[in-house]
């Protein structure tokens, strides 16, 4: 048995939403190192350009800006990636947004925005990529991003974010069930706090940080690089019989 081949992504192509952010950028670099060609997508063209420039020379990488809440924008970006790279074998949906507002103060527009970015913004890229995977008949890997907040509540105002991530968890299982017949694996990585700009609210406020870290047995946030092993596992041959799973990479947050 060739163990290395189980995690080798040579000849594969990956499309990463939120590729200009901390987690998406780390996964993009890891996929390149594992041999894949990568299409980086983000809503801001300057983020896409910066990510592509930073990764230049590390492998085949292109940029395709897109608004994950807009079906037309997503469809155009996916089509552009396929024209350039020939196919998409792996989708990693890192695009997401968080706001923390007490339930009694939550503006319905904020709730709608979080749901649109985190849930619709996961579904639309998955739908667009799966359509091509099904048409080609070669199967593929789709990896969504959930959260411990999608499983358990938190006292600091996670009504919109937690609800959206709970929806992503079930969306993952639903898509996995529907698309298994096409050999498309759909799995979810569910982290706790990751040291990215999205977590600045937590990590830059000592009192808030202490509260969050007290709920993580490792008592620290994850570094983006600590999720790339799981991202490679779910993208490679090693996970060919794994689908519909929510993998908590959370420092023990959900252990008890």
């Amino acid at each position: 048995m060739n163990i290395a081949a189980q995690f080798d992504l040579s000849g594969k192509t990956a499309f990463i939403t939120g590729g200009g952010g901390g987690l998406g950028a780390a996964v993009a670099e890891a996929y390149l190192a594992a041999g894949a060609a990568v299409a980086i997508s983000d809503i801001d063209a300057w983020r896409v350009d910066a990510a592509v420039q930073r990764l230049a020379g590390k492998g085949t990488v292109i940029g395709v800006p897109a608004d994950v809440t807009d079906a037309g924008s997503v469809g155009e970006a996916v089509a552009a990636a396929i024209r350039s790279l020939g196919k998409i074998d792996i989708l990693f949906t890192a695009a997401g947004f968080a706001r923390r507002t007490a339930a009694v103060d939550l503006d319905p527009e904020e709730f709608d925005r979080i749901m649109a970015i985190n849930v619709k913004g996961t579904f639309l890229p998955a739908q667009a990529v799966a359509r091509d995977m099904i048409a080609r008949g070669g199967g593929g890997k789709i990896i969504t991003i959930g959260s411990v907040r999608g499983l358990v509540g938190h006292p600091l105002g996670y009504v919109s974010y937690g609800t959206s991530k709970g929806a992503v968890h079930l969306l993952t299982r639903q898509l996995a069930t529907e698309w298994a017949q096409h050999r498309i694996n759909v799995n979810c990585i569910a982290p706790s706090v990751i040291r990215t700009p999205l977590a600045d609210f937590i990590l830059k406020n000592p009192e808030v940080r202490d509260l969050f870290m007290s709920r993580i047995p490792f008592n620290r946030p994850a570094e983006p690089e600590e999720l790339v092993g799981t991202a490679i596992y779910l993208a490679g041959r090693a996970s060919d019989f794994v689908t519909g799973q929510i993998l908590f990479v959370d420092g023990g947050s959900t252990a008890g």
Side-chain angles (χ1 to χ4, degrees):
M1 180 182 294
N2 186 340
I3 297 301
Q6 298 289 306
F7 304 93
D8 184 8
L9 302 183
S10 297
K12 303 294 185 180
T13 62
F15 188 102
I16 301 177
T17 72
L23 177 57
V27 170
E29 186 168 1
Y31 282 174
L32 288 169
V38 173
I40 291 178
S41 187
D42 208 298
I43 192 170
D44 296 315
W46 67 268
R47 288 184 184 275
V48 173
D49 292 341
V52 170
Q53 291 176 17
R54 186 177 66 82
L55 295 172
K58 296 188 177 184
T60 301
V61 56
I62 65 168
V64 281
D67 177 355
V68 294
T69 69
D70 181 88
S73 178
V74 169
E76 290 173 5
V78 168
I82 292 170
R83 284 195 302 270
S84 180
L85 301 177
K87 58 178 180 171
I88 296 174
D89 301 294
I90 303 156
L91 170 66
F92 190 91
T93 63
F97 189 71
R99 289 291 295 272
R100 299 161 187 87
T101 306
V104 294
D105 299 323
L106 183 64
D107 188 320
E109 291 185 0
E110 179 182 317
F111 185 88
D112 290 345
R113 182 185 181 206
I114 299 297
M115 295 295 288
I117 295 172
N118 294 349
V119 185
K120 188 178 181 181
T122 297
F123 171 68
L124 290 179
Q127 181 188 54
V129 169
R131 283 172 172 165
D132 182 68
M133 289 177 174
I134 292 168
R136 285 192 298 110
K141 301 294 181 75
I142 294 175
I143 303 157
T144 66
I145 297 299
S147 172
V148 296
R149 299 282 72 82
L151 180 68
V152 293
H154 194 282
L156 291 186
Y158 275 89
V159 171
S160 54
Y161 183 78
T163 302
S164 74
K165 291 303 184 178
V168 169
H169 293 181
L170 187 54
L171 174 64
T172 299
R173 293 188 173 107
Q174 180 62 37
L175 298 183
T177 304
E178 289 192 28
W179 294 342
Q181 63 180 311
H182 302 293
R183 294 191 297 118
I184 298 173
N185 302 62
V186 189
N187 291 291
C188 177
I189 299 175
S192 53
V193 181
I194 310 172
R195 194 186 303 277
T196 68
L198 198 64
D200 280 351
F201 164 82
I202 297 168
L203 300 179
K204 292 185 176 181
N205 183 320
E207 184 176 345
V208 174
R209 176 190 167 94
D210 288 347
L211 173 61
F212 274 81
M213 295 307 106
S214 71
R215 298 165 70 97
I216 302 174
F218 276 170
N219 197 39
R220 66 172 178 83
E223 302 298 332
E225 294 76 15
E226 292 181 299
L227 279 78
V228 301
T230 307
I232 290 175
Y233 163 67
L234 291 176
R237 287 171 50 195
S239 62
D240 278 356
F241 203 62
V242 177
T243 198
Q245 299 304 303
I246 315 301
L247 275 66
F248 288 94
V249 185
D250 63 1
S253 296
T254 56

